[in-house]
């Protein structure tokens, strides 16, 4: 499991308020938005901030408001569903708690989640529509297959 | 304020347990360690994961265990102390709550913190010893002046 964070996800109770702050207020430009669900904003070379509706995040990974990281998750992207499973096994062997086993997602990928020893959430994801160009630009495309 | 995250900080109650997981378990290589205080691990082009002793983090930014992001903080690096103040002003005008006004740090930098509308913590930092090389490698040096 390479030492890499690709996404930082913040579970956000009011996406419109988040949009007013980050997009209207700070002037940050979204890469992709699904109204009422999620806003993706590139925040550096090959990295993305994801403002995700808190209820949707809770439904996906379980309500973690009591966890050390609150409603925050770091993501590590890999190249295939098999690599998702392998990374989760590696993390488990290293002492992580598996929060969500690897499974297919509605958007055509595979993800699983673990909590580190302090309780911080990590997602391991294979996203066939994710690409980082040589200049660091993140492309999030639609999966055709 | 450019759309950029430079550090992801996790306030960690047991640094030795974190070290066993990330360094011994996952095999990730620290860039810099201050025993008992902090472990910095590069996690991509120009980005750093910081495992910070939770008590030290609480002392610096206030205990935020009840905040939405728990003991987690995103950092945005800028080029001067004046830019720290300007970014905090911009964030405040956009609707953020200032958690810690800009101030000099023990390590020769300037930092201030705000919480976004959902309560997630952001640090704005000028770190004279921070440099990102063209290949994305982060150098964290000692400040000589």
């Amino acid at each position: 499991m390479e030492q890499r964070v690709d996404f930082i996800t913040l579970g956000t109770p009011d996406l419109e308020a988040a949009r007013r702050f980050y997009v209207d207020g700070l002037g940050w430009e979204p890469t992709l938005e699904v109204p009422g669900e999620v806003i993706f904003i590139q925040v550096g070379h090959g990295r993305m901030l994801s403002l995700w509706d808190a209820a949707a995040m809770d439904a996906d990974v379980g309500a973690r408001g009591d966890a050390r990281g609150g409603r925050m998750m770091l993501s590590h992207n890999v190249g295939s569903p098999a690599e998702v499973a392998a990374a989760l096994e590696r993390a488990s062997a290293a002492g992580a708690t598996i929060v969500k086993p690897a499974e297919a997602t509605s958007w055509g990928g595979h993800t699983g989640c673990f909590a580190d020893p302090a309780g911080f959430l990590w997602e391991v994801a294979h996203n066939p529509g994710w690409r980082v160009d040589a200049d660091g630009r993140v492309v999030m495309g639609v999966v055709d297959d």
Side-chain angles (χ1 to χ4, degrees), chain A:
Chain A
M1 187 172 173
E2 292 174 28
Q3 49 189 86
R4 190 162 30 73
V5 172
D6 300 298
F7 275 84
I8 303 149
T9 296
L10 306 180
T12 307
D14 183 342
L15 269 187
E16 280 310 304
R19 196 177 200 292
R20 281 194 297 275
F21 178 67
Y22 288 100
V23 181
D24 302 335
L26 297 186
W28 292 7
E29 190 179 340
T31 294
L32 184 67
E33 290 189 77
V34 182
E37 287 187 33
V38 66
I39 302 170
F40 294 107
I41 300 173
Q42 183 154 358
V43 288
H45 189 292
R47 93 204 68 160
M48 199 66 90
L49 181 67
S50 167
L51 305 166
W52 192 12
D53 177 68
M57 182 171 175
D58 285 356
D60 191 66
V61 294
R64 307 282 300 180
D66 57 338
R68 181 154 289 268
R71 286 186 174 81
M72 187 279 304
M73 185 165 69
L74 304 177
S75 291
H76 177 86
N77 282 7
V78 295
S80 69
E83 286 176 66
V84 174
L88 289 172
E89 275 174 32
R90 176 73 189 264
S92 178
T97 303
I98 302 300
V99 173
K100 192 180 82 168
E103 59 182 34
T105 69
S106 60
W107 42 268
H110 268 76
T111 65
C113 296
F114 66 83
D116 85 356
F120 290 107
L121 267 190
W122 283 79
E123 175 189 61
V124 182
H126 172 235
N127 180 347
W130 160 275
R131 190 180 83 232
V132 180
D133 287 345
D135 63 357
R137 193 171 71 99
V138 175
V139 179
M140 298 180 68
V142 174
V143 179
D144 293 324
D145 60 355

